[in-house]
Amino acid sequence: MPASVIVGLQWGDEGKGKTTDFLAEQVSTVVRYQGGDNAGHTIVIGDDTFKLHLVPSGVLYGHITPIIGPGVVVNPATLIREFDGLISRGIDISKVRVSHAAHLILPHHVALDKARESALAGDKVGTTQRGIGPAYADKAFRTGLRTGDLLKPDLFAEKLTKRIKENNAVIKELGEKPLSPKEVVDECLAAGQILAPFITNTVVFLHGALAAKNSNMLFEGAQGTFLDIDHGTYPYVTSSNTTSGGACTGSGVPPNRIDHVMGVLKAYTTRVGEGPFPTEDAD
């Protein structure tokens, strides 16, 4: 089956969501493979405007299975708000699938993100302060919690309590108010009950879809090439691989199954956050 990747060729905001929506009628699966709710795709259909941050753009089509892959970091509260917003507007979300291996953005990640940016003062990186970087950092530290952990409430509560207590020391040192472990755990367990029906092994699903006849797959990139953690304008970048290679690592689909890569750009350049433009002196 044909599998195509859509990537932004600048710093994001190139119109990837619109491009995905334009091509969505021809595919059966749309996959988000990196980033978190720091990415926003705006889609206009008639008089309706939809702003999506975690749910793949294909959710607006009934024949599409939208996939949130293991390379995405998921804020449960954000995802539930998106679900509620879509449901209130008559959009069916029952086909959405969330990888059991996708790491969670938790309240202490958001608190750390905000505290660290504030402490940097004039040297800010320009993060969206949504906890993306700290969540990916925990993933690299091998201390992160994943969506699949939500399916084991007792073990999840134990692990999260430990993580909050550890991070509260840093949060307090940065001059912010420590979090209540019990309040955070209760909030996350409640979110887990709502999200449980959507959590699955998406790699198995995608390989099944690759084997199916008359089936097309679209990978929806977030942010843009110049924000790639390895190939972008470091340190003024995001915390994931926004280039086409990220589609493979963030979904579990091998590169030899990718048929096309489409880059989206606009005639002028904008960027969110801090960092120099190509014509500016980085120093």
Side-chain angles (χ1 to χ4, degrees), residues 76-126:
T78 301
L79 184 54
I80 290 171
R81 280 197 299 271
E82 275 195 40
F83 280 173
D84 289 343
L86 289 167
I87 291 170
S88 70
R89 300 176 71 176
I91 305 299
D92 180 14
I93 64 164
S94 63
K95 287 188 175 182
V96 176
R97 296 292 178 266
V98 182
S99 170
H100 73 296
H103 279 252
L104 293 168
I105 299 173
L106 299 162
H108 60 275
H109 294 133
V110 178
L112 284 170
D113 203 355
K114 291 179 178 179
R116 285 170 177 163
E117 275 290 276
S118 178
L120 287 171
D123 295 321
K124 290 181 179 179
V125 174

Side-chain angles (χ1 to χ4, degrees), residues 27 43 66 104 108 120 165 182 223 236-237 245:
V27 305
I43 300 170
L104 293 168
H108 60 275
L120 287 171
K165 288 180 178 179
K182 184 180 186 307
Q223 290 95 30
Y236 305 104
V237 294

Side-chain angles (χ1 to χ4, degrees), residues 104-151:
L104 293 168
I105 299 173
L106 299 162
H108 60 275
H109 294 133
V110 178
L112 284 170
D113 203 355
K114 291 179 178 179
R116 285 170 177 163
E117 275 290 276
S118 178
L120 287 171
D123 295 321
K124 290 181 179 179
V125 174
T127 79
T128 55
Q129 300 184 32
R130 294 174 183 259
I132 310 296
Y136 275 117
D138 273 3
K139 178 179 180 178
F141 276 132
R142 299 176 297 280
T143 58
L145 294 173
R146 306 193 290 182
T147 60
D149 292 319
L150 291 169
L151 305 180

Side-chain angles (χ1 to χ4, degrees), residues 1-279:
M1 60 156 277
S4 303
V5 182
I6 295 176
V7 295
L9 297 181
Q10 294 156 312
W11 278 282
D13 296 328
E14 301 97 346
K16 297 182 296 298
K18 182 178 181 180
T19 305
T20 301
D21 182 65
F22 177 75
L23 297 172
E25 287 188 81
Q26 308 168 42
V27 305
S28 56
T29 309
V30 176
V31 187
R32 265 289 305 275
Y33 56 86
Q34 48 79 217
D37 58 334
N38 56 341
H41 289 169
T42 301
I43 300 170
V44 178
I45 300 178
D47 296 328
D48 293 325
T49 299
F50 296 87
K51 294 183 181 294
L52 303 172
H53 294 277
L54 280 172
V55 181
S57 301
V59 72
L60 302 180
Y61 293 87
H63 69 281
I64 288 176
T65 300
I67 301 291
I68 297 175
V72 179
V73 284
V74 177
N75 185 319
T78 301
L79 184 54
I80 290 171
R81 280 197 299 271
E82 275 195 40
F83 280 173
D84 289 343
L86 289 167
I87 291 170
S88 70
R89 300 176 71 176
I91 305 299
D92 180 14
I93 64 164
S94 63
K95 287 188 175 182
V96 176
R97 296 292 178 266
V98 182
S99 170
H100 73 296
H103 279 252
L104 293 168
I105 299 173
L106 299 162
H108 60 275
H109 294 133
V110 178
L112 284 170
D113 203 355
K114 291 179 178 179
R116 285 170 177 163
E117 275 290 276
S118 178
L120 287 171
D123 295 321
K124 290 181 179 179
V125 174
T127 79
T128 55
Q129 300 184 32
R130 294 174 183 259
I132 310 296
Y136 275 117
D138 273 3
K139 178 179 180 178
F141 276 132
R142 299 176 297 280
T143 58
L145 294 173
R146 306 193 290 182
T147 60
D149 292 319
L150 291 169
L151 305 180
K152 301 176 181 178
D154 292 340
L155 184 57
F156 177 83
E158 180 183 335
K159 289 182 177 180
L160 180 55
T161 299
K162 181 179 179 181
R163 296 298 302 137
I164 294 171
K165 288 180 178 179
E166 289 176 353
N167 282 279
N168 268 345
V170 180
I171 293 169
K172 186 176 180 180
E173 182 67 24
L174 290 170
E176 301 296 328
K177 182 181 178 181
L179 303 174
S180 164
K182 184 180 186 307
E183 289 181 8
V184 173
V185 168
D186 288 347
E187 174 187 326
C188 291
L189 290 179
Q193 289 183 326
I194 296 171
L195 296 177
F198 302 94
I199 299 171
T200 188
N201 188 328
T202 57
V203 175
V204 171
F205 176 91
L206 290 176
H207 279 263
L210 285 168
K213 294 181 179 179
N214 301 318
S215 178
N216 299 308
M217 191 176 294
L218 191 63
F219 296 85
E220 179 182 21
Q223 290 95 30
T225 298
F226 294 152
L227 290 176
D228 188 281
I229 184 68
D230 293 313
H231 308 290
T233 53
Y234 191 90
Y236 305 104
V237 294
T238 192
S239 302
S240 60
N241 290 113
T242 61
T243 46
S244 58
C248 298
T249 56
S251 69
V253 171
N256 65 344
R257 302 307 300 269
I258 303 296
D259 299 284
H260 306 285
V261 176
M262 291 171 278
V264 182
L265 56 80
K266 55 190 176 186
Y268 58 96
T269 301
T270 59
R271 72 175 300 168
V272 176
E274 305 295 328
F277 282 106
T279 54

